């Protein structure tokens, strides 16, 4: 059954010029996003220009499928390498029946977007099966640049015919940092349950903690709460700095950039409120936050006229 968010999506595909033989592939990519990232998909559907919506959802779906393949197969290099090899062959021009890859390849072609961001990202995805956390926050910053930034740039580059140049790409790095800090905070409980430590080990050592202290209920609530507040402060600083990324966006993409920034800020606020509960359960993007973002956008549009 097609998600409610995709009501009328075939009209969107037609308006965007997606050929009929590829519309099923684009619909499958959008449906994947609607299931996995409902609030983000709602934001794209409400705010992104019709001609960009299928392309944005296609590249986002590719990134999410790749990320899920790595996250759901820890240590299973065979499965992850098979997906990476399939992706590279599709980018090289080999036929593929995978709907997300069919949509991705067509999007890169018609948007005149070089595929180097997708190649960098999928190559780095191979390493995700051996993710072992970070010793320091500097290692986290290197992770953002090598893995998260290419993921973000796949969708950002769609807005620039001919792709974003190096200067434009660098301008989006603060948003990549903010998104990942917030994502690690909100998914902390799930990551810990899977044996993934996303808090730098040095931060734990500085507070006289070990990874075992992060089990819920923690035996060291005061020290753990201090570490979580540190993570939240870093995320808040990064989020505030990333607002400038909206100014780097193409005019047709600026509303979407502002909305994405607003949405993640609201998710971060929920993490800040959760405190030690971050060890117990994930903090997803709330549907109510997506609706509030839409209202805020409508107010901005009203005030600008």
């Amino acid at each position: 059954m097609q998600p409610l968010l995709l009501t009328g999506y075939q009209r969107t595909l037609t308006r965007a010029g997606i050929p009929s033989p590829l519309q099923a592939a684009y619909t499958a990519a959008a449906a994947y996003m609607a299931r996995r990232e409902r609030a983000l998909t709602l934001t794209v559907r409400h705010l992104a220009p019709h001609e960009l919506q299928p392309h944005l959802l296609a590249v986002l779906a590719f990134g999410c499928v790749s990320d899920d393949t790595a996250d759901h197969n820890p240590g299973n290099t065979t499965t992850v390498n098979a997906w990476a090899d399939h992706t590279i062959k599709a980018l090289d021009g080999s036929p593929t029946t995978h709907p997300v890859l069919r949509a991705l390849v067509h999007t890169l072609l018609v948007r005149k977007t070089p595929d180097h961001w997708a190649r960098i990202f999928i190559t780095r995805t191979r390493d995700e099966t051996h993710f072992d956390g970070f010793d320091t926050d500097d290692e986290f910053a290197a992770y953002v640049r090598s893995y998260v930034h290419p993921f973000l740039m796949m969708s950002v580059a769609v807005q620039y015919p001919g792709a974003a140049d190096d200067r434009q790409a660098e301008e989006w790095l603060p948003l990549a940092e903010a998104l990942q800090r917030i994502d690690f905070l909100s998914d902390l409980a799930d990551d810990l349950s899977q044996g993934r430590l996303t808090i730098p080990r040095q931060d734990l050592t500085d507070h006289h903690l070990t990874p075992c202290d992060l089990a819920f209920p923690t035996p060291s609530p005061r020290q753990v709460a201090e570490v979580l507040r540190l993570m939240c402060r870093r995320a808040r600083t990064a989020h505030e700095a990333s607002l400038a990324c909206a100014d780097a966006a193409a005019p047709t993409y600026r509303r979407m950039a502002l909305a994405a920034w607003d949405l993640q800020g609201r998710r971060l606020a929920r993490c800040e409120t959760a405190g030690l509960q971050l060890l117990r359960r994930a903090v997803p993007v709330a549907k109510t936050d997506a609706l509030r973002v839409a209202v805020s956008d409508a107010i901005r549009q009203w005030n600008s006229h």
Side-chain angles (χ1 to χ4, degrees), residues 3-304:
L4 184 61
L5 281 176
L6 299 186
T7 300
Y9 196 60
Q10 186 169 4
R11 291 194 300 275
T12 300
L13 293 172
T14 302
R15 291 176 65 178
I18 305 300
S20 296
L22 285 171
Q23 289 191 2
Y26 275 90
T27 300
Y32 182 89
M33 285 302 299
R35 292 190 299 270
R36 187 186 190 272
E37 300 287 348
R38 183 177 177 83
L40 177 58
T41 303
L42 175 62
T43 304
V44 171
R45 291 287 284 144
H46 179 70
L47 298 179
H50 287 284
E51 66 271 16
L52 279 182
Q53 287 184 25
H55 303 299
L56 284 171
L57 292 174
V59 295
L60 288 170
F62 164 68
C64 289
V65 169
S66 301
D67 198 48
D68 288 347
T69 300
D71 286 350
H72 297 164
N73 295 279
N76 186 347
T77 56
T78 300
T79 299
V80 176
N81 284 336
W83 170 248
D85 290 343
H86 190 178
T87 297
I88 294 298
K89 289 178 181 177
L91 293 174
D92 286 340
S94 296
T96 177
T97 58
H98 196 289
V100 171
L101 291 181
R102 292 184 69 207
L104 171 72
V105 170
H106 183 260
T107 283
L108 297 179
L109 175 65
V110 299
R111 295 297 300 172
K112 298 182 174 61
T113 303
D115 61 16
H116 68 277
W117 292 116
R119 291 180 183 275
I120 293 171
F121 173 74
I122 198 63
T123 298
R124 182 64 178 80
T125 299
R126 298 178 191 269
D127 299 332
E128 279 293 285
T129 57
H130 304 295
F131 180 83
D132 190 35
F134 316 104
D135 286 332
T136 66
D137 199 57
D138 286 342
E139 288 188 7
F140 165 81
Y143 173 86
V144 168
R145 183 173 285 276
S146 66
Y147 183 61
V148 184
H149 187 230
F151 186 170
L152 174 65
M153 288 309 300
M154 284 189 297
S155 60
V156 171
V158 168
Q159 70 180 294
Y160 297 108
D165 59 29
D166 290 342
R167 178 189 61 80
Q168 291 167 329
E170 198 69 16
E171 289 173 340
W172 287 92
L173 187 59
L175 183 58
E177 178 189 347
L179 291 174
Q180 192 57 59
R181 288 193 185 279
I182 295 169
D183 190 64
F184 275 163
L185 266 174
S186 55
D187 290 344
L188 181 60
D190 289 345
D191 285 331
L192 289 173
S193 70
Q194 297 170 24
R196 289 167 54 94
L197 177 64
T198 54
I199 296 175
R201 283 179 280 270
Q202 186 61 53
D203 291 327
L204 295 180
T205 300
D206 290 345
H207 290 79
H208 309 290
L209 296 169
T210 70
C212 294
D213 293 308
L214 299 177
F216 187 89
T218 174
S220 307
R222 183 179 62 81
Q223 297 98 314
V224 172
E226 289 177 358
V227 170
L228 294 178
R229 284 194 292 270
L230 173 62
M231 299 298 104
C232 287
R233 286 197 301 272
R234 287 175 179 166
R236 179 59 65 184
T237 299
H239 181 256
E240 291 175 355
S242 69
L243 178 58
C245 293
D247 294 328
T252 55
Y253 194 79
R254 195 161 293 145
R255 288 178 66 192
M256 179 65 199
L258 280 170
W261 180 87
D262 190 0
L263 193 64
Q264 290 303 317
R266 294 172 188 273
R267 188 183 194 188
L268 174 56
R270 291 178 181 274
C271 291
E272 292 167 332
T273 302
L276 290 173
Q277 292 299 314
L278 289 170
L279 303 178
R280 186 180 183 184
R281 57 176 178 268
V283 181
V285 177
K287 288 182 285 187
T288 53
D289 284 344
L291 293 174
R292 290 189 180 101
V293 167
V295 171
S296 296
D297 172 76
I299 293 172
R300 281 196 300 268
Q301 294 303 306
W302 175 268
N303 290 336
S304 66

